Amino acid sequence: MQMQLVDKSLGSPQHPLLLAPTRLRTWSRPGGTCGDGEGAGGVPHPIPSLRPPAAGTMEIVYVYVKKRSEFGKQCNFSDHQAELNIDIAPNPELAEQFVERNPVDTGIQCSVSMSEHEANTERFEMETRGVNHVEGGWPKDVNPLELEQTIRFRKKVEKDENYINAIMQLGSIMEHCIKQNNAIDIYEEYFNDEEAVEVTEEAPSAKTINVFRDPQEIKRAATHLSWHPDGNRKLAVAYSCLDFQRAPVGMSNDSYIWDLENPNKPELALKPSSPLVTLEYNPKDSHVLLGGCYNGQIACWDTRKGSLVADLSTIEFSHRDPVYGTIWLQSKTGTECFSASTDGQVMWWDIRKISEPTEVVIMDITRKEQLENALGAISLEFESTLPTKFMVGTEQGIIISCNRKIVCTFSGHHGPIYALQRNPFYPKNFLTVGDWTARIWSEDSRESSIMWTKYHMAYLTDAAWSPVRPAVFFTTKMDGTLDIWDFVFKQCDPALSLKVCDEALFCLRVQDNGCLIACGSQLGMTTLLEVSSGLSTLQRNERNIASSMFERETRREKILEARHREMRLKEKGKAEGRDEEQRDEGLATDLEALVSKAEEEFFDIIFAELKKQEADAIKPKPMPQQPSSEEVQVAQEGEEATGERVGDEEEEDLA
Amino acid sequence: MNKWTNTGQGPGLLISSVPGPTATGLGEPQAEVEETLKRIQSHKGVIGTMVVNAEGIPIRTTLDNSTTVQYAGLLHQLTMKARSTVRDIDPQNDLTFLRIRSKKHEIMVAPDKEYLLIVIQNPCE
């Protein structure tokens, strides 16, 4: 077979058996027409042959010749070296007809192209069913229900040699273990009788469990909290704005009851006519709540009846100022309560007839029952174990202890007493919070508190004892911190100090189990905290230690008080003596007398302080200052009392 | 001096562990099996004994049927699982014994290629 390369353009003589090339692949310039088709089936290998560019197409043609007799003959393939058939050099002139495109952005992918498709499966129903097992495993010819057949099968197996060998072997292993079991109990607990010594070394800690936010847009402060008496699953929070006449317009009056499980939405809203300052659950009947309003009225709710007020006191007979304290009384009917307000009155109510109070007591410490002299009451305390006594903390920093009438007063705070609570284990001692300190008092010691904290940087707003540990109490401050004090552990600092939020914390309530604490802030956020178990479980000997601490401090105060009284009596005695002399001399003018009286009082206070310091330091202190010539007389009386050697010298000088 | 002589004993007084041909036709090796199982059952604290074959069919048991069937099925699966666990960890290893101690008693399983011997015992407390 001959193959000839034919260049059509040259018009060379054609072989008679030339096959005219028909459809051939053509290459064309961009913009030109595309050549059509592929090479025809009979063209084995198009070897490009160039035609000079004319009419815009280039035809590459391969022509070969085959003898007719060789048609259908088998192919004899042979191998030969690569031959360069054609070499088309680039024609640089062609480049001028093109514009270079740079960069060229083409996507190249070497993998299978895939597409994303979503499918939504149809829901199919599932059902849970039990399977009733029937005895299985029996071979086909044995019917498990037929006793005869099963017995026969079993007998057959027992005759099997494998069976016998297996049993003998397994039997010996098994016997070994059985005997082992019988010999020794390998899981015996040793030292079971000894009590596990519990040493809780963990540091006290508390963590926030939940936060309940005021759903209202205009935020109000959470001023009072009350736990639900049964089960403690609910919390009642009273919201109001305590800034005097600065309640924003449109502020809602609602207060809420929250369910601890659902912090997103309050369980019930209580709608009074004026915002609630305090709110208390009735410990006897958990559906009834008592609220003290900002306008001085007392309102009560029944949660079964809905969120509107069930009963409201008449405004003429109510308080004239916001009701800051409401407490339920222990009575047989469970309907009695009393309330206190800064208008100086404490009123008793029976909620069955709430239109007017059953009794009114005026907090006038001069005992003249004058409303003008009355002190505004801010906090109220009532201990159910002492049914007739109650205590009132006033705006002026004085605590009044009453037994339906005023009995005695305790003074010691510089500012309003925001919290007042008796120790649940030792009711004779109570905790107060006011100004920048928290103080613990004993009923026996009237002049001063027996224990007190240092002066803090922020005002203290509320305090509560822990119901499980007699030595632990909690305080909240205006800078948003919650302090947990444990005075059997540390006396000068709180055992734990937590920053709960950035705004001030206004109120605090501990749940009966001593573990959960709820505190309310200025922006209406109530935070629920859980205290570590070390702070909420009674430690060994804690009660003894706490009671001995209280007694010790009380005794100390009593001693100081006694000494102080002695001092004062001595002062009085001396002062009276000197005064008489002065009068005889006829020198005293009103002004001078007043001045000397003032100086006396001043020195009395100083000496009392000195005495205290002396008692603490157990060392004689130096004189406070050099007295001026005018005050020599009075000073000398004082010096007599304090310094030993120094006083004697002065006396001698005088004499 | 008394001399104890072994007076001739009649065949009736022969104490032998080989029982004579009985109605069930047990041979000697089978008698040993019986004895072994009886001995196991008579140990202190043993509540029940059973022999289960590879398909979970109880061959021999001292407990009632429903309990037996339950134990057989469940323990069979557990033993298989335990054995495969042991062999997965080390293919040259094999399970020799399985003990399950529960609050009330201890279940002991001795596995074999074809059979399982299960004993429930109350360990001495």
Side-chain angles (χ1 to χ4, degrees), chain B residues 39-107:
Chain B
R39 204 174 54 234
I40 289 177
Q41 179 65 31
S42 66
H43 272 295
K44 179 175 148 204
V46 172
I47 301 171
T49 314
M50 62 185 93
V51 181
V52 178
N53 81 342
E55 273 118 38
I57 300 174
I59 307 291
R60 202 53 197 274
T61 173
T62 61
L63 301 168
D64 60 281
N65 195 40
S66 51
T67 318
T68 306
V69 165
Q70 207 176 20
Y71 268 106
L74 295 167
L75 285 170
H76 188 255
Q77 291 176 35
L78 185 63
T79 315
M80 291 304 122
K81 188 70 177 182
R83 175 180 272 148
S84 71
T85 307
V86 169
R87 293 191 73 131
D88 276 350
I89 294 169
D90 180 7
Q92 281 155 355
N93 208 352
D94 195 9
L95 182 71
T96 49
F97 203 81
L98 184 62
R99 256 172 148 166
I100 304 163
R101 193 146 184 147
S102 73
K103 269 201 287 204
K104 295 192 183 168
H105 37 243
E106 179 161 345
I107 304 168

Side-chain angles (χ1 to χ4, degrees), chain A residues 84 121 145 154 279 306 311 335 337 378 403 421 430 438 452 463 467 478 505 514 527 545 579 594 603 631 643 653:
Chain A
L84 179 61
T121 52
L145 302 170
R154 285 198 174 108
L279 188 54
D311 247 329
T335 54
C337 54
I378 285 254
N403 202 339
Q421 195 190 4
F430 54 94
W452 56 92
M478 287 290 274
L505 284 175
T527 315
I545 296 175
D579 273 347
L594 276 173
F603 276 103
E631 298 154 15
D653 283 344

Side-chain angles (χ1 to χ4, degrees), chain A residues 135 137-138 154 157-160 162-163 166-168 170 173-175 177-178 180-182 185 187, chain B residues 30 32 39 43-44 57-60 69 97 99 101 106 108 110-112 114-115 117 121 124-125:
Chain A
E135 211 174 306
W138 294 98
R154 285 198 174 108
V157 171
E158 280 174 12
K159 292 212 177 88
D160 184 18
N162 270 346
Y163 172 80
I167 294 293
M168 297 312 293
L170 298 179
I173 303 174
M174 185 61 82
E175 273 206 86
C177 287
I178 291 177
Q180 205 178 58
N181 264 350
N182 281 334
D185 179 13
Y187 297 110
Chain B
Q30 279 172 324
E32 282 189 27
R39 204 174 54 234
H43 272 295
K44 179 175 148 204
I57 300 174
I59 307 291
R60 202 53 197 274
V69 165
F97 203 81
R99 256 172 148 166
R101 193 146 184 147
E106 179 161 345
M108 295 180 276
D112 184 66
E114 277 180 48
Y115 301 95
L117 174 62
Q121 189 191 18
C124 62
E125 311 263 19

